[in-house]
Amino acid sequence: MKSTKAFAPATVANVSCGFDILGFAIDQMGDTVTLSEREKPGLEVLSIKGDGGKLPYESHKNTCSVAIQAMLDELGVNPGIEIRLEKGLPLGSGMGSSAASAVAALVAANELLGNPFQKNDLLPFAIAAEKAACGAGHADNVGPSLLGGFVLIRDYHPLDIIKLPVPDGLHCVLLHPHYELNTSDSRSVLRDQIPLKHATIQSGNVAGLIAGLFQADFQLISRSLRDVIAEPYRAVLIPGFYEVREAIKSAGAMGMGISGSGPTLFALCEGNEKISDIIEAAQQVYRSIGLEVDAYHSAINTRGAYIL
Ligand code: HSE
């Protein structure tokens, strides 16, 4: 009986101006999924570690089994597979926790089944799992978790995913305050319609960010890290948002935004020299409002998910 194990990294979705269409992957942090064949057909989630008992074991609810089932349905097969999930990411954090589980499960399942799919072709199955987890089939976490680097989702129908360049020396800081914010709650505060002038501002910034990545122009990237569509509505769910932004920009960050649907905040930095000042400045603000925070820093992960 064969067994496979895969790792998928944490991600920062949206990257300020790219609501549901941009994301990048983080080094080191992520989820690990081990799959083992068994005689009895069907999927079974056998163990989940590191979730504090919060994630579902039922196959139709767990993001790992939902993702794998979507893949098996496409292949028209029904093998017996046992699933073991090790969470390396906090739940409801905005660091792509459900995406990392689904992507690690798919990469392990593809290997177990003899690689019937190319890596890119796994994305629709991961999107199905995101839909089950939070009600919205967005790809800006699963895309970069699977493929690594910066990823643009140009279109969803049909899916058109583009990998973007990662300039040398681009670093990221993540600030994770100790509370959970569900993506579905964080999406429920958004508006269905946006004013034309906001669409114009947002398009300019998305284009500017992408041009900045291609040209390795850190000033242009910095100017483009602005979101007028989601952030103004979500910031009220995130205590200290504006104070942290002010403090870490003064400490040398290129810009800051909400990581995915929050409450984690991300900052981009040129090089890693100012990272400890940026983290200290943020921690001061969080201390002043009585919130505990974990701070991480990382280069941009260009590898994505892989077999262990
Ligand atoms: N683009 C999604 C959102 C990411 O902002 O709701 C969720 O992590």
Side-chain angles (χ1 to χ4, degrees):
M1 289 279 149
K2 255 181 20 187
S3 166
T4 56
K5 188 172 186 174
F7 172 83
T11 43
V12 170
N14 300 336
V15 202
S16 290
C17 52
F19 178 71
D20 277 0
I21 63 163
L22 278 176
F24 65 83
I26 302 292
D27 267 339
Q28 292 161 6
M29 283 184 296
D31 287 356
T32 304
V33 172
T34 306
L35 302 180
S36 312
E37 286 178 334
R38 66 167 188 189
E39 301 265 337
K40 186 177 159 206
L43 302 178
E44 188 177 355
V45 181
L46 275 198
S47 71
I48 306 176
K49 289 187 186 151
D51 68 325
K54 290 183 181 163
L55 289 177
Y57 278 71
E58 297 98 312
S59 302
H60 64 286
K61 287 188 187 161
N62 184 283
T63 52
C64 296
S65 38
V66 170
I68 298 172
Q69 191 60 56
M71 175 199 239
L72 299 178
D73 289 348
E74 177 71 21
L75 290 169
V77 295
N78 185 25
I81 300 177
E82 292 172 345
I83 302 167
R84 291 175 178 81
L85 167 63
E86 291 162 60
K87 292 296 300 175
L89 293 178
L91 311 182
S93 61
M95 291 192 264
S97 179
S98 55
S101 300
V103 167
L106 286 167
V107 169
N110 199 36
E111 177 80 9
L112 195 72
L113 298 171
N115 291 302
F117 295 100
Q118 298 290 314
K119 220 177 179 192
N120 271 24
D121 299 334
L122 299 175
L123 275 172
F125 313 132
I127 293 172
E130 283 289 63
K131 195 161 187 183
C134 74
H138 57 90
D140 48 346
N141 290 115
V142 291
S145 185
L146 182 68
L147 304 173
F150 270 86
V151 167
L152 165 71
I153 299 99
R154 191 202 62 80
D155 201 353
Y156 278 81
H157 306 292
L159 199 56
D160 189 0
I161 301 256
I162 295 136
K163 267 196 88 167
L164 302 170
V166 178
D168 284 345
L170 189 62
H171 284 255
C172 167
V173 170
L174 288 178
L175 302 160
H176 171 234
H178 286 196
Y179 69 96
E180 282 182 32
L181 183 54
N182 291 326
T183 298
S184 49
D185 293 337
S186 195
R187 289 182 86 88
S188 71
V189 300
L190 302 177
R191 304 295 187 264
D192 283 336
Q193 305 211 327
I194 56 169
L196 184 60
K197 67 177 180 187
H198 287 174
T200 310
I201 293 170
Q202 200 86 357
S203 313
N205 284 322
V206 172
L209 177 52
I210 291 171
L213 292 172
F214 271 94
Q215 296 169 5
D217 182 338
F218 289 88
Q219 296 290 329
L220 177 54
I221 294 170
S222 172
R223 292 200 298 283
S224 306
L225 289 174
R226 183 177 170 213
D227 172 21
V228 294
I229 289 180
E231 191 178 283
Y233 304 106
R234 286 178 164 176
V236 295
L237 305 173
I238 301 177
F241 176 82
Y242 293 105
E243 293 85 346
V244 173
R245 185 165 72 182
E246 190 68 33
I248 69 175
K249 280 181 104 170
S250 303
M254 289 162 59
M256 186 204 89
I258 302 168
S259 177
S261 55
T264 296
L265 304 179
F266 81 95
L268 289 179
C269 323
E270 184 173 358
N272 55 11
E273 295 80 20
K274 294 175 190 154
I275 282 177
S276 51
D277 290 348
I278 290 167
I279 290 176
E280 176 51 32
Q283 280 170 334
Q284 263 185 31
V285 176
Y286 281 112
R287 270 196 296 274
S288 75
I289 56 172
L291 265 183
E292 282 193 51
V293 65
D294 292 323
Y296 311 94
H297 64 92
S298 145
I300 310 301
N301 167 339
T302 53
R303 187 176 183 192
Y306 54 90
I307 291 290
L308 289 164

